[in-house]
Amino acid sequence: MNMAAATRRLIALLVVCSIGRSTALIPERVGGDGGLSQAATPAPPGSSGSTFVADFCPAGAFEIPAGDAAKWVIFDQLTTDEIWDVVNFMVDDMGIFHIRNETWNSTAEMPTPTGPNYLYRVEVLKPPKAAALKYLDEEGPKPKRFAKAIVFRPANDPRDIMEYKVGPLPLQKSGKRTVGKTDANLSPFHGVVVEQLVKDGEIPWAKRPTESISITWADIMVSRIAYKLREIFKDTIGYCYGYDDSTPEKLELTEAECGRDRVDWLQFPSLNRNASRRVTNIHYFFKPLRTGGEEMDLHNIPLTYKLDETGFDQDAFGSFDFEYCHQGPFLSAEALLEAYQSGNITKCVAPEWKDAEYDEKWSRTDVINKIRKGTGRSSPRTFEPDGPRFKIRGKRPGAGHHFSYLGWQGHFGMRYDTGITFHDIRFRGERIAYELSLQEQYVAYSGFGGTGQIVYFDSFYGIGLNTFPLRRGVDCPETAEYVPAVKFHLSGAIVSELDNICIFEEASQTTEWRHTHGKGADGDGPHSDAVRRSMLVIRTIATIGNYDYIYDIRFKPVASIQVDVTMAGYVESSFYSPSGETRRDIPFGTRVHKYTFANLHDHLSGWKVDLDILGGKNSIHKKEVKVGTWKEALKDIDPDTTGPDWHEAPILKYIDSQKIQKEFGYKIQNPGNVVWTFNNDFMTNSVGQPRGYSISHGLTSSQLLPETHPFTKAMAWTKYHLAVTKYKDSEPRSHAGLYDMPIPQKPVVNFDDFLDDESIVAEDLVGWVMVGLQHVPRSEDVPLISNFGTNFHIKPWNYFEELVSMDMGDTEDFPPCAPRAGSAFKYHWAWDPVPNKP
C-alpha cells in the first residue's frame, strides 16, 4: 500500500468520518463533563430560523441534588472523565491501541488486519438487577461501578472481538501483580479488575462493527476500483472518483483528475453463503455541486459490487459481483469495464447531472422555492403561565438525569448503540418499570438492483451516537429543557454534546376527561366538567444517514406511558433509467423523479419493557375479545348454562381470559382484540381485581420476511409484537446488532433462545415489544418524507381504584406571561351566565 495515499485517506476520514450510514463530526479531545441542561434562551447571534424572547416565562426546571440523595445515579452512563480513565488504563497498562490517545503520531502505527489489538469502545456495565434493587429499596450497599471495554483483537489466533469488565470506577491502582495463566483477573495492578465477559473466539473478527480504522482499509480499495471504472462514472454523471496510488506521481495526477468532491460511497453488510467471510456491498452516489448533505441519497449511481474484508492484508481485499444498471454480475472491475467498452452492455446515463448548471433544488431542504401565503406570520407557540411543572436533576451531566412530573419520576440516559433508556420509573412512589429502553431500529429494503436488498440494524452504526443537538423552538418547544449526552465516537473521540435530549410538558389541545351534564347535582342548569390534557415528553432524535427517528416517551397524568416512534428524513433510493433498463425495479417501489426510484422498505422498532408491578412477582393475563355462543362464553363460570331466556341473540361477544404459564412470543392477528396485562396476583384493588399494567399497540405492521431468512434469524425479536420472558441478567438485550449485521445467519444473540419454555407465573418478567410500519413510497416523499410513525402504550389495568387523573386541578384564569398578550385570560362557558361587566 502506498503510505502517502493511506495518510491522505486517514486525515480526510478523521476530519469527517463517514462510516456506513452515519457521519460523525470529530472534534478535539474534550475532558470533563461538558455543560449542564439549558432552558430555552435567545437564539445566538447570526443564527437563522426561530427567535426566542429570553425569560418570558418563569423558569427553573433543572436542579443539582446534594449529597447522596440521588440513588438513581447507579444507572448513569459513563462520564467523559470515567471513559478517559479506562482508555488510559487500557492503553498504558494493558497495551491496547487507541486512535485518539496522544501516543499515536503516524500511519505506520495504525492497526492493520493483523494487529495490534485496538480499543473500539468503552461504555458502562449495568449493575445486576438484584443488587440495584437492594440498594434502591432496602438500604443495601451501593453497587460498584464498572465499565465494559470492547477490544478488536486482530493479533490473536483466532482473531476476535473481546468484551472486558473493567473497574471498579474510579480506577485505583495499588501495586503491581503477576497475572497467572488461569487467572480470571487480567489486570497487572491490585485494586483493578479486568475480566473477560465472553469466551475467546465467541465473537468472530469478521463480525466487527464499523469504525474509523477499518473503514480506511476499505476506502483504499474502493478508491482504486472507482478509478479503474472512471470511464463508466464519467459517462454516467460526468465526474469520476478515486485514484491510482501505485506511485506518488500517479497519485497526485489521478486525484487531480477525479478527486472526491462529486461522488461518495456507502458500505453495508451483504449476505454471503460462507458464514466465515466478512462481505460488504459498495454503492456509489452523485453529489450535486451546490449540496453538502444527504441530497446524494436521491442521486444514485447504478454501480454496485461486493468487497471481501476477511483477509489479513487490506491491500488484498477481494472484490466481485459487479452489477451495472441491472446487468451482471461481473467477476471483477476489469471484466465489467471490458464488457462496457466492447458494447456488450447497455449504458445508463443522467445527462442533466453532467451540466454544471444542473438544478438540484428539488432534492434540497435548505431552498424554499415558494412561500405559502400566510406562513410569513408565526405559528402558535407554547408557554407555561406559572413556570414548569417538571423537574430535571443531574449529578453527572451528559451521563444521566432524573425527572419528576405530577407523580412520575425516573432516570433517563443515552446508550451509544441503542439510544434512549429509562430506569426505575415510578408513579406516586411505586415502581412501574425497572427498565424501558430502545433496543433496535431495523430497516429492510427491497429491489432488483444491487442496492435493493439492503437490511440495516441501526445499532450497528450507533443510534445514540447519531443523536445530535436538537433545534430549539423547532424540534422542541420554547419551554423545553435540554440535557447533553456523552459519546464515544466511532473515530475514538470522546465528547459531551449539548442538547441531545429535550424535556417539556406538551399541551395536547384537548381534554384528559370530560362530560357535559344536562342537569346539575343541585337541580340547577347544565354544566360541563373537564380538565385540560397535557403530558411530559422526553424526546431525542437520531439521524442515521438518510433517516431521522424521533423518539417520544410521554408520561401522562393518567399514569400511563406512551412510546412514539416517528420516521422522517430522506428515502433511500436507486437509479432509475428512463429508457427502461431498470424496469425490473417497478414491483419494488415507486419512481419519484426522473432518475430516482424510491424503494419499498419497512421500519421495525424494538423495545425492552421490564415491568415490576408491586414487586418482582408478576404473571401474564391474556384477555381476548371473541365471538361465540353463551355456552362458550360461560364455560369457566357456569358450564351447564344455555343462556338467558330474555335474550334472543344466539351469538355474542365475550372476553376469554387466561393466565399464560410459559414464555411466549405473540404476533398480532386481529388488531385491538387482545389485552395483555402484567399482574401482581397477590395484590388486588378494593373489588378484588388483580392490580396490573397492560401493554397495547397502536397501528403496527409485522415482520414479513420468513423465519428462515438470515436477517430474521439475527433479529428474531422482529417476529413478535410482544414476547415475554423471565428476567435474567444474562439476557440484557434482545439482539447483538452491533455484531450481527455482518454474517447474520450465525447470530451472536438469537432472541429465540430466550424463549426456552420457562414458567412465567409469579416471576420477574420482561416484555419485548415490536412496533413498525411498511413504507410504500410516493412522489410526495421527495425531497423529504412527511413524518409518520407508530406507537405502543403502557397503561394501568385495575391498578387504581378509579380514574387516577380525577385529582387533576387546572385553573382556567391566569395572568399572561407572553409578551404583548394583553389582559389576563378569562374563560367562560357559553351556557354560563354572562359575566358582569365592570
Side-chain angles (χ1 to χ4, degrees):
M1 177 180 67
N2 184 286
M3 289 308 298
T7 302
R8 293 188 189 195
R9 296 285 8 96
L10 181 63
I11 292 173
L13 286 163
L14 290 183
V15 173
V16 178
C17 187
S18 299
I19 301 178
R21 304 185 74 196
S22 61
T23 300
L25 297 180
I26 310 304
E28 293 301 312
R29 170 177 171 174
V30 177
D33 289 335
L36 293 171
S37 162
Q38 302 94 42
T41 57
S47 65
S48 60
S50 302
T51 58
F52 297 83
V53 179
D55 301 327
F56 68 83
C57 281
F62 192 88
E63 293 180 350
I64 302 176
D68 296 326
K71 284 191 169 185
W72 37 263
V73 297
I74 64 171
F75 299 114
D76 279 357
Q77 305 296 306
L78 299 182
T79 66
T80 54
D81 284 342
E82 288 176 317
I83 295 171
W84 275 112
D85 194 14
V86 176
V87 168
N88 291 331
F89 176 82
M90 297 299 288
V91 171
D92 298 338
D93 300 315
M94 298 295 292
I96 304 299
F97 179 93
H98 178 241
I99 193 170
R100 301 294 290 187
N101 189 274
E102 293 89 339
T103 60
W104 171 71
N105 56 28
S106 76
T107 55
E109 298 179 23
M110 291 294 291
T112 71
T114 59
N117 297 341
Y118 58 99
L119 184 64
Y120 168 69
R121 175 179 291 172
V122 175
E123 61 189 15
V124 75
L125 188 63
K126 284 175 52 178
K129 182 176 179 179
L133 291 178
K134 196 171 186 64
Y135 171 66
L136 293 171
D137 299 342
E138 303 176 21
E139 301 301 324
K142 184 176 182 179
K144 292 181 179 179
R145 193 162 165 82
F146 287 89
K148 179 168 70 175
I150 302 176
V151 176
F152 291 2
R153 304 199 301 182
N156 281 40
D157 185 15
R159 296 180 295 174
D160 66 1
I161 300 163
M162 180 51 62
E163 297 180 346
Y164 294 97
K165 175 182 178 179
V166 183
L169 302 177
L171 299 181
Q172 295 180 336
K173 297 182 288 188
S174 60
K176 282 277 191 178
R177 62 183 292 271
T178 301
V179 180
K181 290 184 178 181
T182 60
D183 198 339
N185 184 5
L186 305 176
S187 171
F189 288 94
H190 292 287
V192 178
V193 172
V194 178
E195 295 177 348
Q196 292 188 182
L197 294 172
V198 296
K199 298 177 182 178
D200 291 339
E202 184 175 335
I203 308 175
W205 163 253
K207 280 184 164 289
R208 64 189 181 276
T210 263
E211 39 68 48
S212 61
I213 292 176
S214 61
I215 202 71
T216 61
W217 308 337
D219 183 71
I220 293 168
M221 297 301 297
V222 169
S223 299
R224 290 172 180 170
I225 290 169
Y227 187 73
K228 290 179 183 178
L229 300 174
R230 62 191 179 279
E231 180 181 341
I232 297 178
F233 281 91
K234 288 181 178 180
D235 287 349
T236 305
I237 63 171
Y239 305 92
C240 58
Y241 179 81
Y243 52 72
D244 179 348
D245 62 345
S246 56
T247 68
E249 293 77 20
K250 284 187 177 181
L251 175 64
E252 184 174 355
L253 288 172
T254 56
E255 282 202 322
E257 175 187 0
C258 290
R260 312 178 69 86
D261 296 333
R262 307 305 297 277
V263 176
D264 208 339
W265 59 277
L266 175 70
Q267 180 183 33
F268 52 89
S270 172
L271 288 177
N272 188 62
R273 292 185 179 88
N274 188 336
S276 65
R277 312 294 295 180
R278 179 187 177 87
V279 178
T280 59
N281 280 307
I282 305 298
H283 174 202
Y284 293 95
F285 301 86
F286 167 61
K287 296 195 296 185
L289 180 62
R290 288 170 291 274
T291 63
E294 270 63 55
E295 297 89 351
M296 71 177 191
D297 284 304
L298 300 176
H299 294 82
N300 291 267
I301 298 171
L303 172 64
T304 67
Y305 59 90
K306 295 176 181 176
L307 187 69
D308 189 332
E309 300 178 287
T310 314
F312 291 88
D313 181 358
Q314 63 266 36
D315 279 342
F317 283 172
S319 56
F320 60 100
D321 278 0
F322 284 76
E323 176 259 343
Y324 171 73
C325 206
H326 292 194
Q327 299 166 97
F330 299 92
L331 184 61
S332 64
E334 291 80 6
L336 168 59
L337 186 61
E338 180 181 355
Y340 185 87
Q341 292 174 335
S342 64
N344 291 332
I345 57 176
T346 304
K347 298 181 179 181
C348 293
V349 297
E352 292 88 341
W353 295 1
K354 302 178 184 181
D355 189 343
E357 299 303 317
Y358 166 61
D359 185 0
E360 80 298 331
K361 291 187 182 67
W362 69 274
S363 67
R364 292 171 61 179
T365 61
D366 59 347
V367 175
I368 302 177
N369 297 320
K370 298 178 180 179
I371 300 295
R372 182 179 298 185
K373 185 177 180 180
T375 56
R377 303 182 68 184
S378 295
S379 59
R381 296 291 187 262
T382 301
F383 72 100
E384 297 163 331
D386 300 312
R389 300 196 293 180
F390 63 90
K391 289 288 184 183
I392 304 299
R393 300 189 294 166
K395 296 197 73 168
R396 299 186 181 110
H401 298 84
H402 187 269
F403 73 91
S404 58
Y405 167 73
L406 302 183
W408 284 107
Q409 59 180 316
H411 178 279
F412 64 98
M414 186 81 73
R415 290 178 182 146
Y416 308 143
D417 53 351
T418 58
I420 192 78
T421 179
F422 292 80
H423 283 88
D424 199 23
I425 299 173
R426 304 182 185 216
F427 187 78
R428 292 180 177 173
E430 293 183 336
R431 182 177 298 110
I432 304 299
Y434 178 77
E435 180 181 353
L436 168 63
S437 61
L438 177 61
Q439 295 286 291
E440 184 60 277
Q441 199 66 47
Y442 164 105
V443 189
Y445 286 84
S446 192
F448 187 87
T451 60
Q453 300 300 316
I454 305 172
V455 178
Y456 292 121
F457 308 163
D458 280 338
S459 65
F460 181 81
Y461 304 102
I463 299 172
L465 288 182
N466 285 281
T467 59
F468 300 104
L470 298 166
R471 188 176 174 188
R472 294 164 178 261
V474 178
D475 289 321
C476 312
E478 292 79 2
T479 55
E481 195 84 32
Y482 295 81
V483 297
V486 172
K487 299 180 181 180
F488 193 123
H489 278 295
L490 302 183
S491 67
I494 300 163
V495 301
S496 180
E497 191 171 69
L498 299 177
D499 295 8
N500 275 224
I501 303 173
C502 72
I503 308 96
F504 58 93
E505 186 173 5
E506 178 182 74
S508 301
Q509 311 301 344
T510 187
T511 53
E512 183 62 56
W513 49 260
R514 77 166 320 281
H515 184 67
T516 299
H517 294 266
K519 184 179 289 187
D522 55 3
D524 292 339
H527 70 279
S528 175
D529 292 329
V531 66
R532 296 163 64 101
R533 171 176 285 175
S534 62
M535 61 195 74
L536 186 72
V537 181
I538 299 182
R539 172 176 295 163
T540 187
I541 302 177
T543 301
I544 307 170
N546 58 305
Y547 257 104
D548 298 55
Y549 294 98
I550 305 168
Y551 300 107
D552 290 339
I553 294 80
R554 289 179 158 84
F555 295 90
K556 301 182 179 184
V558 73
S560 67
I561 304 170
Q562 179 174 319
V563 177
D564 291 281
V565 182
T566 303
M567 277 62 77
Y570 281 94
V571 294
E572 191 155 304
S573 62
S574 52
F575 183 88
Y576 184 86
S577 175
S579 55
E581 287 79 11
T582 60
R583 65 188 182 281
R584 297 177 186 86
D585 258 334
I586 290 174
F588 306 107
T590 305
R591 183 186 182 186
V592 294
H593 207 260
K594 187 170 184 179
Y595 302 108
T596 306
F597 186 87
N599 294 83
L600 168 69
H601 58 282
D602 59 11
H603 299 273
L604 306 182
S605 189
W607 294 77
K608 180 179 183 179
V609 186
D610 181 1
L611 296 179
D612 283 3
I613 306 304
L614 301 167
K617 300 294 183 181
N618 295 165
S619 300
I620 300 297
H621 290 251
K622 178 185 179 184
K623 297 181 181 295
E624 184 174 5
V625 178
K626 292 184 175 182
V627 173
T629 64
W630 291 101
K631 189 173 185 63
E632 289 171 326
L634 294 166
K635 64 182 184 299
D636 296 325
I637 306 300
D638 185 0
D640 297 326
T641 188
T642 58
D645 294 336
W646 51 85
H647 287 303
E648 294 185 6
I651 302 296
L652 64 152
K653 291 189 296 183
Y654 66 96
I655 302 170
D656 181 66
S657 300
Q658 58 178 303
K659 181 189 288 189
I660 308 301
Q661 302 295 313
K662 303 289 185 179
E663 294 175 322
F664 68 92
Y666 167 72
K667 304 174 185 179
I668 293 176
Q669 302 296 328
N670 297 301
N673 287 10
V674 178
V675 175
W676 296 96
T677 62
F678 288 63
N679 290 353
N680 187 320
D681 290 338
F682 307 103
M683 306 286 284
T684 63
N685 64 13
S686 61
V687 294
Q689 296 293 331
R691 297 172 67 187
Y693 261 73
S694 71
I695 294 178
S696 60
H697 290 69
L699 176 66
T700 185
S701 181
S702 302
Q703 170 63 276
L704 300 180
L705 296 176
E707 293 191 13
T708 54
H709 194 286
F711 285 117
T712 307
K713 289 183 177 180
M715 293 283 119
W717 58 269
T718 63
K719 298 187 297 183
Y720 313 111
H721 292 97
L722 174 66
V724 176
T725 62
K726 182 178 176 180
Y727 179 89
K728 295 177 182 176
D729 284 324
S730 59
E731 297 175 347
R733 302 186 189 179
S734 60
H735 64 94
L738 188 65
Y739 306 125
D740 283 339
M741 195 166 158
I743 319 177
Q745 62 267 45
K746 293 184 67 175
V748 173
V749 173
N750 186 335
F751 182 73
D752 280 335
D753 292 339
F754 291 17
L755 302 173
D756 50 2
D757 209 34
E758 290 190 84
S759 171
I760 54 172
V761 175
E763 297 285 356
D764 187 0
L765 304 180
V766 179
W768 307 89
V769 176
M770 187 277 282
V771 290
L773 292 172
Q774 301 294 324
H775 186 175
V776 178
R778 54 179 181 155
S779 59
E780 290 83 2
D781 285 335
V782 294
L784 295 179
I785 67 171
S786 178
N787 297 3
F788 68 100
T790 181
N791 57 43
F792 70 93
H793 306 262
I794 305 168
K795 301 178 182 180
W797 206 268
N798 300 317
Y799 191 91
F800 300 100
E801 298 297 327
E802 64 173 3
L803 176 62
V804 71
S805 60
M806 291 303 296
D807 64 356
M808 292 290 291
D810 193 359
T811 179
E812 294 181 353
D813 298 332
F814 51 88
C817 65
R820 298 177 297 281
S823 60
F825 293 92
K826 290 287 185 180
Y827 297 102
H828 75 277
W829 194 30
W831 285 1
D832 282 342
V834 177
N836 294 327
K837 295 183 179 180

